Amino acid sequence: MSGKSLREQLTFKNTVLGVQFLFVAFGATVLVPLLVGIDPAVALFTAGIGTLLFHLITKGKVPVFLGSSFAFVAPIIEATRLYGWPGTLSGIIAVGIVYGVVSALVKLRGITFVERLFPSVVVGPIILLIGLSLASTAVDMAKTDWALAIITLATAVSVVIFGKKMLKLIPIFIAIAVGYIAALIWGKVDYSIVQEASWISIPEFTAPKFSWQAILYMVPVAIAPIIEHVGDMYTIGGVCNKNFIEKPGLHRTLLGDGIATALAGFFGGVPNTTYSEVTGAITLTKVTNPFILRISAITALVFAFVGKISGFLETIPQAVLGGIMLLLFGMIASIGIKTLVDSKTNMGETRNQVIVSLVLTVGIGGAVIQYGTFSLAGIGLAAAVGIILNLLLPATKKEDL
């Protein structure tokens, strides 16, 4: 923890900075619950509690904010359709437990063990599959009003390509704002929900219900976010000129992320992850004091109990969200390709071609393994196939090349 007292750190300047960092993460944090169809106030609550727990577990050394993870949008939507939302929550809790298991492995064996188990040839196509698996959902939402969807999409693309400094950190937030204004001008926003909402209200928490099928479906999806978490820790460490992998330790940051995600599942929220938007804002502002991120977390908790905020968020038209999803799911897929390219995975090697091909065909093709009440399908089955093939198939010898 910082040597300064609470009174010394809780200044007006630090409070303003903390609120600012929340707004950088706000759009993405509330967009995920809106996409999967749950109360955004729950996500704000679990993001706030999760961030505070993360800081406690990591001894208050790492300046991060945990928000809703986009990597789980597609599998959550599908798992909810198959097993219901309470069942899916048990899968989210299991994802948090997986983080804890990996944390223990890192503590005992080091990061190289994880890298061997989940190389880029497995992680890349899984990320690609996550992005492509719900492309039709994005189109279905966008086609409710193509004009609004295209305005939103064009704004997001423009900000990503041409935006400067802080604007480039929040393309989703800006695009939704522009799309929403267009909807207002055309009279396509219904404010009855806001009028009926109370100023002070309890978020719509949901209790989890144990479901083996949902757990087996969700657990493999944790692979990509775990690898992303490692990258985030290196990134934020570089920004702060500190080695967070060693101190407080990658095992602690993984455990903090995992406990935050499991807790979200218990309250009816979506999985949490370290936010690159906030890391970008820290890079821009040069503000690296972890205490300020704890102010962001407390602000998120306060917002969670303001009913008018949740009501306002629910007035966002489906087409506006669909426009964002068209880009978002495609961007996730492109990260999968980038993972393969950046790691210089040799796609001329037959072994790698087999792994990538089967992960994609099994995942996109809708293959299902079922035995009694047990079933494994979609991203979960594809991830299992990738991991098993990577462990079983021999690497190509140099003399064979």
Side-chain angles (χ1 to χ4, degrees):
M1 294 287 186
S2 172
K4 293 184 178 180
S5 67
L6 176 62
R7 179 175 293 181
E8 287 177 307
Q9 295 207 72
L10 194 56
T11 62
F12 176 76
K13 177 184 176 182
N14 283 352
T15 301
V16 171
L17 286 171
V19 174
Q20 172 190 267
F21 282 130
L22 174 63
F23 276 106
V24 170
F26 188 85
T29 299
V30 301
L31 178 58
V32 173
L34 288 172
L35 294 178
V36 301
I38 67 168
D39 183 6
V42 177
L44 285 171
F45 176 83
T46 55
I49 289 290
T51 299
L52 293 176
L53 275 172
F54 179 92
H55 281 249
L56 178 65
I57 292 167
T58 58
K59 302 181 179 180
K61 296 180 182 295
V62 189
V64 301
F65 180 87
L66 300 185
S68 309
S69 174
F70 281 109
F72 290 90
V73 172
I76 283 176
I77 292 174
E78 185 63 14
T80 302
R81 184 184 71 82
L82 294 171
Y83 315 114
W85 178 234
T88 300
L89 290 174
S90 69
I92 292 173
I93 293 170
V95 165
I97 294 172
V98 170
Y99 274 78
V101 171
V102 174
S103 167
L105 290 173
V106 169
K107 175 70 173 175
L108 295 172
R109 305 285 296 275
I111 185 62
T112 54
F113 173 78
V114 178
E115 291 172 343
R116 280 200 304 270
L117 194 60
F118 305 126
S120 57
V121 72
V122 173
V123 175
I126 291 173
I127 297 174
L128 181 62
L129 183 60
I130 289 171
L132 295 178
S133 59
L134 275 186
S136 59
T137 300
V139 172
D140 287 342
M141 292 178 70
K143 72 182 182 183
T144 59
D145 192 321
W146 274 114
L148 282 179
I150 291 171
I151 288 172
T152 307
L153 175 60
T155 302
V157 171
S158 298
V159 174
V160 168
I161 300 297
F162 304 109
K164 303 294 183 182
K165 296 183 178 180
M166 186 63 77
L167 289 180
K168 202 164 187 175
L169 299 175
I170 50 173
I172 292 173
F173 187 83
I174 294 172
I176 289 177
V178 171
Y180 192 85
I181 291 169
L184 273 176
I185 293 172
W186 292 335
K188 296 181 178 181
V189 178
D190 181 7
Y191 277 113
S192 59
I193 298 174
V194 180
Q195 294 169 353
E196 294 169 4
S198 304
W199 277 103
I200 305 298
S201 66
I202 304 298
E204 296 178 11
F205 297 122
T206 303
K209 182 179 179 181
F210 185 81
S211 168
W212 268 117
Q213 294 96 327
I215 289 172
L216 291 169
Y217 185 90
M218 292 294 295
V219 160
V221 184
I223 296 170
I226 286 173
I227 301 300
E228 182 184 1
H229 174 96
V230 177
D232 287 343
M233 288 304 102
Y234 277 114
T235 302
I236 191 65
V239 171
C240 300
N241 293 316
K242 294 181 179 179
N243 189 343
F244 294 127
I245 300 295
E246 290 187 3
K247 189 176 182 181
L250 182 62
H251 63 288
R252 282 185 176 274
T253 64
L254 278 168
L255 181 62
D257 208 339
I259 290 177
T261 292
L263 186 74
F266 276 111
F267 279 99
V270 292
N272 287 312
T273 188
T274 48
Y275 259 21
S276 55
E277 292 97 326
V278 173
T279 300
I282 290 172
T283 305
L284 183 67
T285 61
K286 310 302 181 187
V287 175
T288 61
N289 183 357
F291 182 82
I292 291 172
L293 279 303
R294 295 196 278 277
I295 293 176
S296 304
I298 293 169
T299 306
L301 284 173
V302 173
F303 279 13
F305 291 92
V306 180
K308 294 290 185 184
I309 290 178
S310 292
F312 174 76
L313 293 172
E314 291 180 36
T315 66
I316 300 173
Q318 286 286 297
V320 172
L321 297 178
I324 286 295
M325 290 170 70
L326 287 171
L327 177 62
L328 176 64
F329 290 155
M331 290 291 281
I332 292 174
S334 70
I335 291 171
I337 298 172
K338 184 176 183 294
T339 299
L340 292 170
V341 173
D342 289 350
S343 64
K344 298 181 180 178
T345 301
N346 182 8
M347 289 308 296
E349 186 177 339
T350 304
R351 173 187 187 274
N352 292 340
Q353 291 176 355
V354 169
I355 294 173
V356 172
S357 299
L358 287 176
V359 167
L360 292 177
T361 52
V362 168
I364 295 174
V368 179
I369 290 179
Q370 190 161 0
Y371 183 77
T373 59
F374 165 81
S375 65
L376 188 61
I379 296 169
L381 178 57
V385 167
I387 293 169
I388 292 170
L389 288 175
N390 176 63
L391 293 174
L392 295 180
L393 296 180
T396 304
K397 296 178 182 179
K398 289 185 178 180
E399 55 265 29
D400 294 335
L401 296 176

